[in-house]
Amino acid sequence: MDLAPSHTSTPVSRQPKEQKSGLPIPPTQLSLRTIRIKHIIVALLLSVFFFFVFCFIALHAYIAWVLSNPTVAPLYSNPSMAKGLPYENVTFPAIDGSRTLQGWYIPVKGATKTIVFSHGYGANREETWVPMYDLAHYAHSLNFNVVMFDYGFASQTNKDIATGGKKESKQLLGAIQFAKERGARQIVVWGFSMGAGTALQAGLVTKDVDAMILDSTFLLEPDTLYHNIKHNINLPRQPSLEIMELLFPVLNGTGLNQIPYSKVKKEDYPFPILFLHGTLDEKAPYPIAEELAANQTNPYSDSWIVKGSHHELLFREHPREYLRRVSAFLGNVAYAKSQETK
């Protein structure tokens, strides 16, 4: 009798199960479609990232371009119309011969001392908000010949880019040379804002200046550059400064490292300087003027830091005290000059 159980089960098949369609199941559920979707997402994210990077750099390029190409109003008057002062239309070259400058020469008969006005950024020789005509008339009343001229970026005929003093200092030295050629034996540079910072740069290399009056001194350096950018648009300090430092040489041919701001901030100038500055100056923080003034050892150098005053508006806000201090300073300069000739 056969006691072995009988088996009627179906033999085990080692072949893969088939889908109803008859096709084999993929070895993994991560299909090619999923991989493609991930690649598309990564590509989109990278595109968005690089788009924002491009926009960020483009914004800085625009800022650098605007700073290098300030909008300057045309001349609307002249010394005769504004103050009844006889004047000459004059031209003279920058000290390096790079360009010709246009200006006005307001003479005083028999005078051998001259004030050269150095206007600020975004302005021309008139600089109406100072107001320059009033100060020119005042200087003339003190028996100073007066030179008023336009920097290249304010030229009416052949406009140049603004370089923070690199080119402008050569142009100011040309104006000083012109004053010498017209017989000046005492030359005072009266500068405003970037025109004051330009004067300090020129003062590093000339022996023809006897004194400077510097109103609202603006010195182009990384700190003041970022201070002015942030005042208009809230950008991060890094990498904004690094980007701007890379863009300036491309857009105007001048890198910040070509402006001798470090040397200016350490220099003890051989001639007397009067620093005038307001504590509410939003373009050139007043501690810069305090630092520059503290470096001066000339006994006739002085500073007037005015609480509550604004950029280039000290004369408008405190006219009597402004002129009193300027007059006293010029008197000291004349005395010092007379002592040299003895």
Side-chain angles (χ1 to χ4, degrees):
M1 182 174 172
D2 188 0
L3 299 177
S6 61
H7 299 280
T8 60
S9 61
T10 305
V12 177
S13 174
R14 296 185 178 276
Q15 296 298 320
K17 293 182 179 180
E18 294 184 355
Q19 296 176 331
K20 291 181 179 180
S21 63
L23 298 175
I25 298 175
T28 176
Q29 293 301 315
L30 187 61
S31 65
L32 290 175
R33 179 184 296 177
T34 304
I35 296 174
R36 289 194 188 99
I37 290 173
K38 285 189 175 183
H39 286 173
I40 291 171
I41 292 173
V42 171
L44 286 172
L45 289 175
L46 287 174
S47 298
V48 170
F49 172 76
F50 284 115
F51 173 75
F52 279 110
V53 169
F54 171 79
C55 290
F56 190 70
I57 295 174
L59 174 62
H60 287 76
Y62 174 74
I63 293 171
W65 186 88
V66 169
L67 291 175
S68 301
N69 297 272
T71 300
V72 179
L75 296 172
Y76 79 95
S77 188
N78 59 56
S80 178
M81 293 173 58
K83 291 294 178 181
L85 298 173
Y87 72 99
E88 303 173 31
N89 287 308
V90 297
T91 60
F92 52 85
I95 201 69
D96 60 356
S98 58
R99 66 173 295 121
T100 298
L101 290 309
Q102 294 80 38
W104 296 319
Y105 181 63
I106 308 172
V108 174
K109 187 176 180 178
T112 59
K113 53 185 182 178
T114 299
I115 283 179
V116 177
F117 281 103
S118 175
H119 70 77
Y121 171 85
N124 54 36
R125 69 189 92 157
E126 291 179 321
E127 198 150 5
T128 54
W129 54 83
V130 169
M132 199 73 87
Y133 283 123
D134 287 354
L135 294 183
H137 183 262
Y138 172 72
H140 189 266
S141 71
L142 296 179
N143 292 318
F144 279 89
N145 304 307
V146 174
V147 176
M148 303 171 72
F149 74 101
D150 292 335
Y151 282 113
F153 63 79
S155 174
Q156 306 292 303
T157 57
N158 183 24
K159 189 173 180 180
D160 203 351
I161 54 176
T163 63
K166 178 189 173 185
K167 290 184 177 181
E168 292 80 5
S169 60
K170 304 296 190 299
Q171 296 164 16
L172 177 57
L173 290 171
I176 292 169
Q177 180 63 31
F178 169 81
K180 281 184 63 181
E181 292 172 356
R182 285 300 185 100
R185 294 200 292 270
Q186 179 182 326
I187 297 175
V188 178
V189 175
W190 198 335
F192 300 82
S193 188
M194 191 177 286
T198 296
L200 289 172
Q201 293 178 55
L204 294 173
V205 297
T206 183
K207 295 181 180 179
D208 295 327
V209 172
D210 295 283
M212 288 185 179
I213 302 169
L214 304 181
D215 185 325
S216 306
T217 303
F218 179 94
L219 187 62
L220 186 59
E221 59 173 334
D223 287 342
T224 53
L225 174 61
Y226 179 69
H227 176 83
N228 279 269
I229 292 173
K230 188 174 176 63
H231 182 69
N232 292 285
I233 181 170
N234 190 20
L235 292 173
R237 184 181 179 89
Q238 272 77 31
S240 289
L241 275 180
E242 287 78 2
I243 294 173
M244 296 295 286
E245 289 178 5
L246 289 172
L247 290 173
F248 269 124
V250 176
L251 294 174
N252 69 6
T254 302
L256 288 182
N257 59 351
Q258 294 177 284
I259 299 172
Y261 58 84
S262 295
K263 188 174 182 181
V264 166
K265 292 175 72 173
K266 297 176 182 178
E267 186 74 7
D268 180 7
Y269 289 86
F271 46 79
I273 304 176
L274 174 61
F275 293 95
L276 309 166
H277 220 103
T279 60
L280 293 184
D281 193 323
E282 296 179 340
K283 297 181 180 179
Y286 74 92
I288 294 177
E290 291 184 322
E291 181 182 352
L292 292 167
N295 292 335
Q296 309 311 309
T297 60
N298 188 291
Y300 299 109
S301 287
D302 198 3
S303 64
W304 183 40
I305 308 299
V306 189
K307 186 176 181 180
S309 278
H310 302 81
H311 190 71
E312 291 190 276
L313 297 180
L314 281 77
F315 175 55
R316 281 190 179 275
E317 294 169 342
H318 306 278
R320 291 186 179 180
E321 183 62 15
Y322 188 101
L323 293 183
R324 187 191 71 78
R325 288 178 178 269
V326 168
S327 179
F329 175 74
L330 291 174
N332 288 334
V333 170
Y335 173 76
K337 189 70 174 178
S338 67
Q339 294 300 107
E340 291 178 5
T341 59
K342 287 184 178 180

